[in-house]
Amino acid sequence: MNERDVLDVLHVFCGGDGRYGNALGVVRDPRAYPDQASRQALAAELGFSETVFVDDPERGVVDIYTPGLRLPFAGHPLVGAAWLLDLEAVNPPAGEVWVRQDGEFTWITARAEWAPPRTLRQYASAAEVDALEVPPPGEWVYAWGWEDEAAGRVRARAFPGRGEGIDEDEATGAAALLLTDRLGRALNITQGRGSQILTAPGPDGTIEIGGRVRLAAPVPASR
């Protein structure tokens, strides 16, 4: 990025103490990156698990990239962009995503079929999830175990396995969406070092994903 470009860096799905959360880069004026090739190159340069380009801030039209590929839908980028732009809906390629603000939490409503495929791998306990080593690249694994099944509390870790330099994803909304769809119940997920993701199934087959967002750095980026 050059000195004229401004990159907003957010942390999405922060813990109750405001720490942790998954870093997200948001380019609110992407005119210098008009095509997929230039956007993909910037996302690789920045190195966040996802970078969002805001093509229409009023209608919430956004374009999402990992360091290695473009995504039609991703949870933490949409929660972060919705919070930053203060919109009632955001529009990634997958479809219109409704947004609501609930005190300290920002929620989006999505469908499980929008999420990229993930291997959801259950372990017998939260301690087993904590003890996992990063697996070799090749499979996108969401490892999870119950902390308190009756209360819907889950311990999870995410291993993208894409060889993009991100061995473990701190907080993953799309995988939480898939897990909620599989279990059919509201979840309170602690992921990574201490991020928190809340989910709730809706009556029409949709699922809400919610979390805290904080602004890390609205700064000119010269990289």
Side-chain angles (χ1 to χ4, degrees), residues 55-92:
D55 288 313
D56 187 331
E58 294 184 357
R59 295 193 300 120
V61 178
V62 295
D63 201 13
I64 307 167
Y65 292 79
T66 77
L69 73 158
R70 185 178 187 236
L71 296 176
F73 172 87
H76 104 272
L78 295 176
V79 171
W83 176 87
L84 182 67
L85 300 173
D86 192 23
L87 295 172
E88 295 183 353
V90 285
N91 286 275

Short mmCIF file of all heavy atoms in Angstrom, two decimals, residues 55-92:
data_model
loop_
_atom_site.label_atom_id
_atom_site.label_comp_id
_atom_site.label_asym_id
_atom_site.label_seq_id
_atom_site.Cartn_x
_atom_site.Cartn_y
_atom_site.Cartn_z
N ASP A 55 -16.30 -2.06 -1.66
CA ASP A 55 -16.59 -1.48 -2.98
C ASP A 55 -17.73 -0.48 -2.96
O ASP A 55 -17.80 0.38 -3.83
CB ASP A 55 -16.89 -2.61 -3.98
CG ASP A 55 -15.64 -3.39 -4.34
OD1 ASP A 55 -14.61 -2.75 -4.63
OD2 ASP A 55 -15.68 -4.63 -4.33
N ASP A 56 -18.64 -0.60 -2.00
CA ASP A 56 -19.74 0.35 -1.87
C ASP A 56 -20.06 0.47 -0.38
O ASP A 56 -20.74 -0.40 0.18
CB ASP A 56 -20.97 -0.12 -2.66
CG ASP A 56 -22.08 0.91 -2.69
OD1 ASP A 56 -22.19 1.71 -1.73
OD2 ASP A 56 -22.86 0.93 -3.66
N PRO A 57 -19.60 1.53 0.28
CA PRO A 57 -19.80 1.63 1.72
C PRO A 57 -21.25 1.88 2.12
O PRO A 57 -21.62 1.62 3.27
CB PRO A 57 -18.92 2.82 2.11
CG PRO A 57 -18.76 3.62 0.87
CD PRO A 57 -18.79 2.63 -0.26
N GLU A 58 -22.08 2.38 1.23
CA GLU A 58 -23.48 2.63 1.57
C GLU A 58 -24.31 1.36 1.48
O GLU A 58 -25.19 1.13 2.31
CB GLU A 58 -24.06 3.70 0.65
CG GLU A 58 -23.43 5.08 0.86
CD GLU A 58 -24.09 6.13 0.01
OE1 GLU A 58 -24.99 5.79 -0.79
OE2 GLU A 58 -23.70 7.31 0.14
N ARG A 59 -24.04 0.52 0.49
CA ARG A 59 -24.79 -0.73 0.34
C ARG A 59 -24.05 -1.92 0.96
O ARG A 59 -24.56 -3.03 0.98
CB ARG A 59 -25.07 -1.01 -1.14
CG ARG A 59 -25.97 0.02 -1.80
CD ARG A 59 -26.46 -0.45 -3.16
NE ARG A 59 -25.34 -0.69 -4.07
CZ ARG A 59 -25.08 -1.86 -4.63
NH1 ARG A 59 -25.84 -2.92 -4.36
NH2 ARG A 59 -24.05 -2.00 -5.46
N GLY A 60 -22.83 -1.68 1.44
CA GLY A 60 -22.09 -2.74 2.10
C GLY A 60 -21.55 -3.80 1.17
O GLY A 60 -21.40 -4.96 1.56
N VAL A 61 -21.25 -3.42 -0.07
CA VAL A 61 -20.68 -4.39 -1.02
C VAL A 61 -19.21 -4.59 -0.70
O VAL A 61 -18.42 -3.63 -0.71
CB VAL A 61 -20.86 -3.91 -2.47
CG1 VAL A 61 -20.22 -4.90 -3.44
CG2 VAL A 61 -22.34 -3.74 -2.79
N VAL A 62 -18.84 -5.83 -0.40
CA VAL A 62 -17.47 -6.12 0.04
C VAL A 62 -16.91 -7.31 -0.72
O VAL A 62 -17.64 -8.16 -1.23
CB VAL A 62 -17.42 -6.40 1.56
CG1 VAL A 62 -17.80 -5.16 2.35
CG2 VAL A 62 -18.31 -7.58 1.93
N ASP A 63 -15.59 -7.35 -0.76
CA ASP A 63 -14.85 -8.39 -1.46
C ASP A 63 -13.81 -8.92 -0.47
O ASP A 63 -13.05 -8.14 0.11
CB ASP A 63 -14.17 -7.77 -2.69
CG ASP A 63 -13.80 -8.76 -3.76
OD1 ASP A 63 -14.27 -9.91 -3.70
OD2 ASP A 63 -13.04 -8.38 -4.67
N ILE A 64 -13.75 -10.24 -0.27
CA ILE A 64 -12.97 -10.84 0.81
C ILE A 64 -11.87 -11.73 0.26
O ILE A 64 -12.13 -12.58 -0.61
CB ILE A 64 -13.87 -11.68 1.73
CG1 ILE A 64 -15.08 -10.88 2.22
CG2 ILE A 64 -13.07 -12.23 2.91
CD1 ILE A 64 -16.16 -11.74 2.87
N TYR A 65 -10.65 -11.57 0.82
CA TYR A 65 -9.50 -12.36 0.37
C TYR A 65 -8.72 -12.89 1.57
O TYR A 65 -8.49 -12.17 2.54
CB TYR A 65 -8.55 -11.51 -0.49
CG TYR A 65 -9.13 -11.12 -1.82
CD1 TYR A 65 -10.04 -10.07 -1.92
CD2 TYR A 65 -8.80 -11.81 -2.98
CE1 TYR A 65 -10.59 -9.71 -3.14
CE2 TYR A 65 -9.35 -11.46 -4.21
CZ TYR A 65 -10.24 -10.42 -4.28
OH TYR A 65 -10.79 -10.07 -5.48
N THR A 66 -8.28 -14.14 1.49
CA THR A 66 -7.22 -14.65 2.35
C THR A 66 -5.90 -14.32 1.64
O THR A 66 -5.90 -13.78 0.52
CB THR A 66 -7.34 -16.17 2.55
OG1 THR A 66 -6.85 -16.84 1.38
CG2 THR A 66 -8.77 -16.58 2.83
N PRO A 67 -4.75 -14.65 2.23
CA PRO A 67 -3.49 -14.42 1.50
C PRO A 67 -3.38 -15.21 0.20
O PRO A 67 -2.54 -14.88 -0.65
CB PRO A 67 -2.43 -14.88 2.50
CG PRO A 67 -3.04 -14.62 3.83
CD PRO A 67 -4.49 -14.98 3.64
N GLY A 68 -4.24 -16.24 0.02
CA GLY A 68 -4.08 -17.06 -1.17
C GLY A 68 -5.30 -17.22 -2.04
O GLY A 68 -5.20 -17.75 -3.14
N LEU A 69 -6.49 -16.78 -1.61
CA LEU A 69 -7.67 -16.96 -2.43
C LEU A 69 -8.79 -16.00 -2.04
O LEU A 69 -8.79 -15.42 -0.95
CB LEU A 69 -8.19 -18.39 -2.35
CG LEU A 69 -8.89 -18.86 -1.07
CD1 LEU A 69 -9.77 -20.06 -1.37
CD2 LEU A 69 -7.88 -19.25 0.00
N ARG A 70 -9.73 -15.86 -2.95
CA ARG A 70 -10.92 -15.03 -2.75
C ARG A 70 -12.03 -15.89 -2.17
O ARG A 70 -12.21 -17.04 -2.57
CB ARG A 70 -11.36 -14.44 -4.09
CG ARG A 70 -12.52 -13.45 -4.03
CD ARG A 70 -12.80 -12.92 -5.43
NE ARG A 70 -13.78 -11.85 -5.45
CZ ARG A 70 -14.90 -11.88 -6.17
NH1 ARG A 70 -15.19 -12.95 -6.91
NH2 ARG A 70 -15.73 -10.86 -6.15
N LEU A 71 -12.80 -15.32 -1.22
CA LEU A 71 -13.86 -16.05 -0.56
C LEU A 71 -15.22 -15.40 -0.84
O LEU A 71 -15.35 -14.19 -0.73
CB LEU A 71 -13.64 -16.08 0.95
CG LEU A 71 -12.39 -16.80 1.47
CD1 LEU A 71 -12.30 -16.64 2.98
CD2 LEU A 71 -12.41 -18.27 1.08
N PRO A 72 -16.24 -16.20 -1.14
CA PRO A 72 -17.58 -15.62 -1.31
C PRO A 72 -18.22 -15.24 0.01
O PRO A 72 -19.11 -14.39 0.06
CB PRO A 72 -18.36 -16.75 -2.00
CG PRO A 72 -17.64 -18.00 -1.61
CD PRO A 72 -16.20 -17.63 -1.49
N PHE A 73 -17.77 -15.88 1.10
CA PHE A 73 -18.32 -15.61 2.42
C PHE A 73 -17.26 -15.94 3.47
O PHE A 73 -16.49 -16.89 3.32
CB PHE A 73 -19.57 -16.48 2.68
CG PHE A 73 -20.06 -16.40 4.11
CD1 PHE A 73 -20.95 -15.42 4.48
CD2 PHE A 73 -19.62 -17.30 5.07
CE1 PHE A 73 -21.40 -15.32 5.79
CE2 PHE A 73 -20.08 -17.22 6.38
CZ PHE A 73 -20.96 -16.22 6.73
N ALA A 74 -17.23 -15.13 4.53
CA ALA A 74 -16.38 -15.43 5.68
C ALA A 74 -16.95 -14.68 6.87
O ALA A 74 -17.39 -13.54 6.75
CB ALA A 74 -14.93 -15.03 5.42
N GLY A 75 -16.97 -15.31 8.03
CA GLY A 75 -17.66 -14.74 9.17
C GLY A 75 -16.99 -13.54 9.80
O GLY A 75 -17.60 -12.47 9.94
N HIS A 76 -15.73 -13.67 10.17
CA HIS A 76 -15.12 -12.55 10.91
C HIS A 76 -14.93 -11.31 10.05
O HIS A 76 -15.11 -10.19 10.55
CB HIS A 76 -13.84 -13.02 11.64
CG HIS A 76 -12.54 -12.63 11.07
ND1 HIS A 76 -11.88 -13.37 10.11
CD2 HIS A 76 -11.74 -11.56 11.34
CE1 HIS A 76 -10.74 -12.78 9.82
NE2 HIS A 76 -10.62 -11.69 10.54
N PRO A 77 -14.66 -11.41 8.75
CA PRO A 77 -14.61 -10.19 7.93
C PRO A 77 -15.94 -9.46 7.84
O PRO A 77 -15.98 -8.23 7.81
CB PRO A 77 -14.16 -10.70 6.56
CG PRO A 77 -13.45 -11.98 6.84
CD PRO A 77 -14.19 -12.59 7.98
N LEU A 78 -17.04 -10.21 7.80
CA LEU A 78 -18.35 -9.56 7.67
C LEU A 78 -18.80 -8.94 8.98
O LEU A 78 -19.38 -7.85 8.99
CB LEU A 78 -19.37 -10.57 7.16
CG LEU A 78 -19.10 -11.07 5.73
CD1 LEU A 78 -20.11 -12.14 5.33
CD2 LEU A 78 -19.12 -9.92 4.72
N VAL A 79 -18.54 -9.61 10.09
CA VAL A 79 -18.83 -8.99 11.39
C VAL A 79 -18.02 -7.71 11.55
O VAL A 79 -18.53 -6.67 11.97
CB VAL A 79 -18.55 -9.98 12.53
CG1 VAL A 79 -18.63 -9.28 13.89
CG2 VAL A 79 -19.54 -11.14 12.50
N GLY A 80 -16.74 -7.77 11.21
CA GLY A 80 -15.88 -6.60 11.34
C GLY A 80 -16.28 -5.46 10.43
O GLY A 80 -16.36 -4.30 10.86
N ALA A 81 -16.56 -5.77 9.17
CA ALA A 81 -16.95 -4.72 8.22
C ALA A 81 -18.29 -4.10 8.61
O ALA A 81 -18.47 -2.88 8.51
CB ALA A 81 -17.03 -5.30 6.81
N ALA A 82 -19.23 -4.92 9.06
CA ALA A 82 -20.54 -4.40 9.49
C ALA A 82 -20.38 -3.45 10.66
O ALA A 82 -21.04 -2.40 10.72
CB ALA A 82 -21.45 -5.56 9.85
N TRP A 83 -19.53 -3.81 11.60
CA TRP A 83 -19.28 -2.94 12.76
C TRP A 83 -18.62 -1.64 12.33
O TRP A 83 -19.03 -0.55 12.76
CB TRP A 83 -18.40 -3.67 13.76
CG TRP A 83 -18.00 -2.87 14.96
CD1 TRP A 83 -18.69 -2.73 16.13
CD2 TRP A 83 -16.80 -2.08 15.11
NE1 TRP A 83 -18.00 -1.91 17.00
CE2 TRP A 83 -16.84 -1.50 16.40
CE3 TRP A 83 -15.71 -1.82 14.28
CZ2 TRP A 83 -15.82 -0.67 16.87
CZ3 TRP A 83 -14.69 -1.00 14.75
CH2 TRP A 83 -14.75 -0.44 16.04
N LEU A 84 -17.63 -1.72 11.48
CA LEU A 84 -16.88 -0.53 11.07
C LEU A 84 -17.74 0.43 10.25
O LEU A 84 -17.69 1.65 10.43
CB LEU A 84 -15.65 -0.95 10.26
CG LEU A 84 -14.72 0.18 9.80
CD1 LEU A 84 -14.03 0.84 10.99
CD2 LEU A 84 -13.68 -0.36 8.82
N LEU A 85 -18.54 -0.12 9.33
CA LEU A 85 -19.34 0.70 8.43
C LEU A 85 -20.70 1.08 9.04
O LEU A 85 -21.40 1.93 8.49
CB LEU A 85 -19.56 -0.04 7.12
CG LEU A 85 -18.28 -0.41 6.34
CD1 LEU A 85 -18.63 -1.29 5.15
CD2 LEU A 85 -17.53 0.83 5.91
N ASP A 86 -21.09 0.44 10.16
CA ASP A 86 -22.34 0.73 10.85
C ASP A 86 -23.53 0.58 9.89
O ASP A 86 -24.33 1.51 9.71
CB ASP A 86 -22.31 2.13 11.46
CG ASP A 86 -23.46 2.36 12.44
OD1 ASP A 86 -23.99 1.37 12.96
OD2 ASP A 86 -23.82 3.52 12.66
N LEU A 87 -23.66 -0.63 9.34
CA LEU A 87 -24.70 -0.90 8.35
C LEU A 87 -25.71 -1.90 8.87
O LEU A 87 -25.45 -2.64 9.82
CB LEU A 87 -24.06 -1.45 7.07
CG LEU A 87 -23.12 -0.51 6.30
CD1 LEU A 87 -22.44 -1.28 5.18
CD2 LEU A 87 -23.91 0.67 5.74
N GLU A 88 -26.88 -1.93 8.22
CA GLU A 88 -27.90 -2.92 8.54
C GLU A 88 -27.73 -4.19 7.72
O GLU A 88 -28.37 -5.21 8.02
CB GLU A 88 -29.29 -2.34 8.32
CG GLU A 88 -29.64 -1.19 9.26
CD GLU A 88 -31.04 -0.68 9.05
OE1 GLU A 88 -31.71 -1.13 8.08
OE2 GLU A 88 -31.49 0.16 9.86
N ALA A 89 -26.91 -4.14 6.67
CA ALA A 89 -26.65 -5.33 5.86
C ALA A 89 -25.31 -5.14 5.15
O ALA A 89 -24.89 -4.01 4.85
CB ALA A 89 -27.75 -5.55 4.83
N VAL A 90 -24.64 -6.25 4.91
CA VAL A 90 -23.44 -6.26 4.08
C VAL A 90 -23.66 -7.26 2.96
O VAL A 90 -24.44 -8.21 3.09
CB VAL A 90 -22.17 -6.60 4.88
CG1 VAL A 90 -21.74 -5.43 5.74
CG2 VAL A 90 -22.37 -7.83 5.75
N ASN A 91 -22.95 -7.04 1.85
CA ASN A 91 -23.20 -7.83 0.65
C ASN A 91 -21.91 -8.41 0.07
O ASN A 91 -21.30 -7.83 -0.82
CB ASN A 91 -23.91 -6.97 -0.41
CG ASN A 91 -25.36 -6.70 -0.07
OD1 ASN A 91 -26.24 -7.50 -0.37
ND2 ASN A 91 -25.61 -5.57 0.59
N PRO A 92 -21.49 -9.57 0.57
CA PRO A 92 -20.40 -10.30 -0.07
C PRO A 92 -20.94 -11.04 -1.29
O PRO A 92 -22.16 -11.06 -1.52
CB PRO A 92 -19.97 -11.28 1.02
CG PRO A 92 -21.25 -11.60 1.73
CD PRO A 92 -22.04 -10.30 1.72
#
